[in-house]
Amino acid sequence: MTLILASQSAARRAMLSDAGVPHDAMAPGVDEDAAKQALRAEGNDARRMADALAELKALKLSRRFPEALVLGCDQTLAAVDGAMFDKPETRDEAAAQLRALRGTTHRLISAAVICLGGEPIWRHVDVAKLAMRDFSDGWLETYLDAEWPAIAGCVGGYRLEGLGAQLFARIDGSYFTVLGLPLLPLLDYLRVRGVLGS
């Protein structure tokens, strides 16, 4: 059975490929900004928003490819005060996000939903807690010089698989969840479905 990743995320494609998961990847064609606005207006928290966006992406492609397993994913970031952060669009926005997170612990919520025949058949939401160290403004500028614009597509303004690792004092949770995909539960499900050997 074919697995389609409803995403163009390089990190998610790499995780699946590195884990030996055969898949195709394509953009789901979802207006994420409009969906986020609607979900926020309904009062959804970060966990529910990640789950709903992952489902929306999977459903969109599943209707076009009803015989395939379609994997939708999303990740949200919730600060200690409950504020949610989006991907920074400018270097100044990335700096502001990182300053707001500096010296605090935040949560990354990664959701994955698989649809078949236009219906969700599996889902998993995982949470990682990240304690960001109290870095200096000078270090932040050096970091942004090295990482911008690569981090523009990264919620929170960092990539843990790069220089962003230096932002943190402690991480509780799965590395894969931090990268944006609850990979181990997904692999278990793909074995149950026969996509992967058991």
Side-chain angles (χ1 to χ4, degrees):
M1 182 168 281
T2 302
L3 177 70
I4 299 173
L5 173 63
S7 173
Q8 290 296 310
S9 163
R12 290 185 183 111
R13 289 193 322 256
M15 279 188 276
L16 291 173
S17 293
D18 291 350
V21 178
H23 68 282
D24 295 319
M26 59 184 67
V30 169
D31 184 345
E32 249 184 276
D33 291 334
K36 283 180 186 178
Q37 280 185 332
L39 289 165
R40 282 187 176 127
E42 293 170 3
N44 287 289
D45 64 6
R47 185 184 194 289
R48 176 67 188 124
M49 187 172 298
D51 186 52
L53 289 168
E55 182 176 313
L56 179 65
K57 293 171 189 178
L59 282 173
K60 181 91 178 212
L61 282 182
S62 184
R63 291 181 180 125
R64 286 180 44 209
F65 303 96
E67 301 301 315
L69 292 174
V70 179
L71 171 63
C73 306
D74 200 77
Q75 184 179 59
T76 56
L77 186 156
V80 69
D81 63 0
M84 285 187 270
F85 289 76
D86 289 320
K87 297 170 186 170
E89 295 183 8
T90 66
R91 179 185 164 119
D92 288 343
E93 194 174 307
Q97 285 186 8
L98 290 165
R99 283 188 189 99
L101 295 170
R102 175 171 51 190
T104 68
T105 298
H106 64 273
R107 295 178 302 129
L108 280 177
I109 300 99
S110 291
V113 175
I114 292 181
C115 290
L116 177 64
E119 296 292 329
I121 60 168
W122 177 86
R123 65 185 349 106
H124 188 86
V125 179
D126 199 22
V127 179
K129 293 179 183 174
L130 295 88
M132 195 172 279
R133 68 181 182 88
D134 192 10
F135 49 82
S136 69
D137 286 338
W139 189 89
L140 176 59
E141 288 306 313
T142 301
Y143 168 77
L144 291 171
D145 288 344
E147 289 289 287
W148 188 263
I151 57 171
C154 304
V155 65
Y158 57 83
R159 295 179 303 160
L160 193 65
E161 65 274 29
L163 189 59
Q166 291 190 37
L167 290 164
F168 298 97
R170 189 182 72 256
I171 297 172
D172 297 318
S174 166
Y175 175 72
F176 301 115
T177 294
V178 175
L179 296 185
L181 177 65
L183 183 64
L184 299 180
L186 172 65
L187 296 176
D188 282 342
Y189 181 73
L190 294 176
R191 282 189 286 272
V192 169
R193 292 293 303 201
V195 174
L196 299 175
S198 59

mmCIF file with all atom_site columns, all heavy atoms in Angstrom, residues 102-104 132-136 167:
data_model
loop_
_atom_site.group_PDB
_atom_site.id
_atom_site.type_symbol
_atom_site.label_atom_id
_atom_site.label_alt_id
_atom_site.label_comp_id
_atom_site.label_asym_id
_atom_site.label_entity_id
_atom_site.label_seq_id
_atom_site.pdbx_PDB_ins_code
_atom_site.Cartn_x
_atom_site.Cartn_y
_atom_site.Cartn_z
_atom_site.occupancy
_atom_site.B_iso_or_equiv
_atom_site.pdbx_formal_charge
_atom_site.auth_seq_id
_atom_site.auth_comp_id
_atom_site.auth_asym_id
_atom_site.auth_atom_id
_atom_site.pdbx_PDB_model_num
ATOM 1  N N   . ARG A 1 102 ? 13.431 32.527 25.745 1.00 0.00 ? 102 ARG A N   1
ATOM 2  C CA  . ARG A 1 102 ? 14.700 32.462 26.478 1.00 0.00 ? 102 ARG A CA  1
ATOM 3  C C   . ARG A 1 102 ? 14.454 32.316 27.986 1.00 0.00 ? 102 ARG A C   1
ATOM 4  O O   . ARG A 1 102 ? 13.653 33.023 28.573 1.00 0.00 ? 102 ARG A O   1
ATOM 5  C CB  . ARG A 1 102 ? 15.494 33.735 26.190 1.00 0.00 ? 102 ARG A CB  1
ATOM 6  C CG  . ARG A 1 102 ? 16.766 33.870 26.952 1.00 0.00 ? 102 ARG A CG  1
ATOM 7  C CD  . ARG A 1 102 ? 17.618 35.035 26.491 1.00 0.00 ? 102 ARG A CD  1
ATOM 8  N NE  . ARG A 1 102 ? 16.911 36.302 26.419 1.00 0.00 ? 102 ARG A NE  1
ATOM 9  C CZ  . ARG A 1 102 ? 17.409 37.397 25.859 1.00 0.00 ? 102 ARG A CZ  1
ATOM 10 N NH1 . ARG A 1 102 ? 18.602 37.393 25.300 1.00 0.00 ? 102 ARG A NH1 1
ATOM 11 N NH2 . ARG A 1 102 ? 16.717 38.499 25.840 1.00 0.00 ? 102 ARG A NH2 1
ATOM 12 N N   . GLY A 1 103 ? 15.134 31.340 28.583 1.00 0.00 ? 103 GLY A N   1
ATOM 13 C CA  . GLY A 1 103 ? 15.040 31.141 30.027 1.00 0.00 ? 103 GLY A CA  1
ATOM 14 C C   . GLY A 1 103 ? 13.746 30.493 30.495 1.00 0.00 ? 103 GLY A C   1
ATOM 15 O O   . GLY A 1 103 ? 13.473 30.467 31.695 1.00 0.00 ? 103 GLY A O   1
ATOM 16 N N   . THR A 1 104 ? 12.942 29.972 29.571 1.00 0.00 ? 104 THR A N   1
ATOM 17 C CA  . THR A 1 104 ? 11.664 29.335 29.938 1.00 0.00 ? 104 THR A CA  1
ATOM 18 C C   . THR A 1 104 ? 11.595 27.929 29.344 1.00 0.00 ? 104 THR A C   1
ATOM 19 O O   . THR A 1 104 ? 12.432 27.539 28.534 1.00 0.00 ? 104 THR A O   1
ATOM 20 C CB  . THR A 1 104 ? 10.450 30.141 29.414 1.00 0.00 ? 104 THR A CB  1
ATOM 21 O OG1 . THR A 1 104 ? 10.410 30.071 27.984 1.00 0.00 ? 104 THR A OG1 1
ATOM 22 C CG2 . THR A 1 104 ? 10.502 31.587 29.862 1.00 0.00 ? 104 THR A CG2 1
ATOM 23 N N   . MET A 1 132 ? 14.745 26.233 27.391 1.00 0.00 ? 132 MET A N   1
ATOM 24 C CA  . MET A 1 132 ? 15.693 27.071 26.662 1.00 0.00 ? 132 MET A CA  1
ATOM 25 C C   . MET A 1 132 ? 16.573 27.808 27.664 1.00 0.00 ? 132 MET A C   1
ATOM 26 O O   . MET A 1 132 ? 16.086 28.348 28.657 1.00 0.00 ? 132 MET A O   1
ATOM 27 C CB  . MET A 1 132 ? 14.942 28.055 25.759 1.00 0.00 ? 132 MET A CB  1
ATOM 28 C CG  . MET A 1 132 ? 15.830 28.712 24.716 1.00 0.00 ? 132 MET A CG  1
ATOM 29 S SD  . MET A 1 132 ? 14.897 29.707 23.511 1.00 0.00 ? 132 MET A SD  1
ATOM 30 C CE  . MET A 1 132 ? 14.309 28.440 22.388 1.00 0.00 ? 132 MET A CE  1
ATOM 31 N N   . ARG A 1 133 ? 17.854 27.824 27.391 1.00 0.00 ? 133 ARG A N   1
ATOM 32 C CA  . ARG A 1 133 ? 18.788 28.475 28.302 1.00 0.00 ? 133 ARG A CA  1
ATOM 33 C C   . ARG A 1 133 ? 18.683 29.994 28.185 1.00 0.00 ? 133 ARG A C   1
ATOM 34 O O   . ARG A 1 133 ? 18.090 30.523 27.247 1.00 0.00 ? 133 ARG A O   1
ATOM 35 C CB  . ARG A 1 133 ? 20.213 28.002 28.044 1.00 0.00 ? 133 ARG A CB  1
ATOM 36 C CG  . ARG A 1 133 ? 20.800 28.443 26.737 1.00 0.00 ? 133 ARG A CG  1
ATOM 37 C CD  . ARG A 1 133 ? 22.219 27.898 26.552 1.00 0.00 ? 133 ARG A CD  1
ATOM 38 N NE  . ARG A 1 133 ? 22.779 28.375 25.301 1.00 0.00 ? 133 ARG A NE  1
ATOM 39 C CZ  . ARG A 1 133 ? 23.446 29.517 25.158 1.00 0.00 ? 133 ARG A CZ  1
ATOM 40 N NH1 . ARG A 1 133 ? 23.635 30.320 26.197 1.00 0.00 ? 133 ARG A NH1 1
ATOM 41 N NH2 . ARG A 1 133 ? 23.933 29.882 23.987 1.00 0.00 ? 133 ARG A NH2 1
ATOM 42 N N   . ASP A 1 134 ? 19.253 30.673 29.122 1.00 0.00 ? 134 ASP A N   1
ATOM 43 C CA  . ASP A 1 134 ? 19.218 32.140 29.152 1.00 0.00 ? 134 ASP A CA  1
ATOM 44 C C   . ASP A 1 134 ? 20.439 32.682 28.401 1.00 0.00 ? 134 ASP A C   1
ATOM 45 O O   . ASP A 1 134 ? 21.408 33.128 29.013 1.00 0.00 ? 134 ASP A O   1
ATOM 46 C CB  . ASP A 1 134 ? 19.190 32.628 30.606 1.00 0.00 ? 134 ASP A CB  1
ATOM 47 C CG  . ASP A 1 134 ? 18.857 34.099 30.709 1.00 0.00 ? 134 ASP A CG  1
ATOM 48 O OD1 . ASP A 1 134 ? 18.471 34.703 29.688 1.00 0.00 ? 134 ASP A OD1 1
ATOM 49 O OD2 . ASP A 1 134 ? 19.009 34.650 31.813 1.00 0.00 ? 134 ASP A OD2 1
ATOM 50 N N   . PHE A 1 135 ? 20.404 32.632 27.089 1.00 0.00 ? 135 PHE A N   1
ATOM 51 C CA  . PHE A 1 135 ? 21.518 33.056 26.246 1.00 0.00 ? 135 PHE A CA  1
ATOM 52 C C   . PHE A 1 135 ? 21.582 34.584 26.166 1.00 0.00 ? 135 PHE A C   1
ATOM 53 O O   . PHE A 1 135 ? 20.599 35.280 26.414 1.00 0.00 ? 135 PHE A O   1
ATOM 54 C CB  . PHE A 1 135 ? 21.402 32.451 24.843 1.00 0.00 ? 135 PHE A CB  1
ATOM 55 C CG  . PHE A 1 135 ? 20.042 32.625 24.227 1.00 0.00 ? 135 PHE A CG  1
ATOM 56 C CD1 . PHE A 1 135 ? 19.676 33.812 23.603 1.00 0.00 ? 135 PHE A CD1 1
ATOM 57 C CD2 . PHE A 1 135 ? 19.107 31.594 24.281 1.00 0.00 ? 135 PHE A CD2 1
ATOM 58 C CE1 . PHE A 1 135 ? 18.411 33.975 23.048 1.00 0.00 ? 135 PHE A CE1 1
ATOM 59 C CE2 . PHE A 1 135 ? 17.836 31.752 23.725 1.00 0.00 ? 135 PHE A CE2 1
ATOM 60 C CZ  . PHE A 1 135 ? 17.494 32.944 23.107 1.00 0.00 ? 135 PHE A CZ  1
ATOM 61 N N   . SER A 1 136 ? 22.758 35.077 25.778 1.00 0.00 ? 136 SER A N   1
ATOM 62 C CA  . SER A 1 136 ? 22.959 36.531 25.674 1.00 0.00 ? 136 SER A CA  1
ATOM 63 C C   . SER A 1 136 ? 22.416 37.061 24.350 1.00 0.00 ? 136 SER A C   1
ATOM 64 O O   . SER A 1 136 ? 22.242 36.307 23.385 1.00 0.00 ? 136 SER A O   1
ATOM 65 C CB  . SER A 1 136 ? 24.452 36.852 25.765 1.00 0.00 ? 136 SER A CB  1
ATOM 66 O OG  . SER A 1 136 ? 25.115 36.383 24.601 1.00 0.00 ? 136 SER A OG  1
ATOM 67 N N   . LEU A 1 167 ? 20.702 26.216 21.973 1.00 0.00 ? 167 LEU A N   1
ATOM 68 C CA  . LEU A 1 167 ? 19.719 27.055 22.660 1.00 0.00 ? 167 LEU A CA  1
ATOM 69 C C   . LEU A 1 167 ? 19.206 26.410 23.950 1.00 0.00 ? 167 LEU A C   1
ATOM 70 O O   . LEU A 1 167 ? 18.637 27.094 24.791 1.00 0.00 ? 167 LEU A O   1
ATOM 71 C CB  . LEU A 1 167 ? 18.512 27.326 21.751 1.00 0.00 ? 167 LEU A CB  1
ATOM 72 C CG  . LEU A 1 167 ? 18.749 28.231 20.550 1.00 0.00 ? 167 LEU A CG  1
ATOM 73 C CD1 . LEU A 1 167 ? 17.601 28.084 19.552 1.00 0.00 ? 167 LEU A CD1 1
ATOM 74 C CD2 . LEU A 1 167 ? 18.881 29.676 21.003 1.00 0.00 ? 167 LEU A CD2 1
#
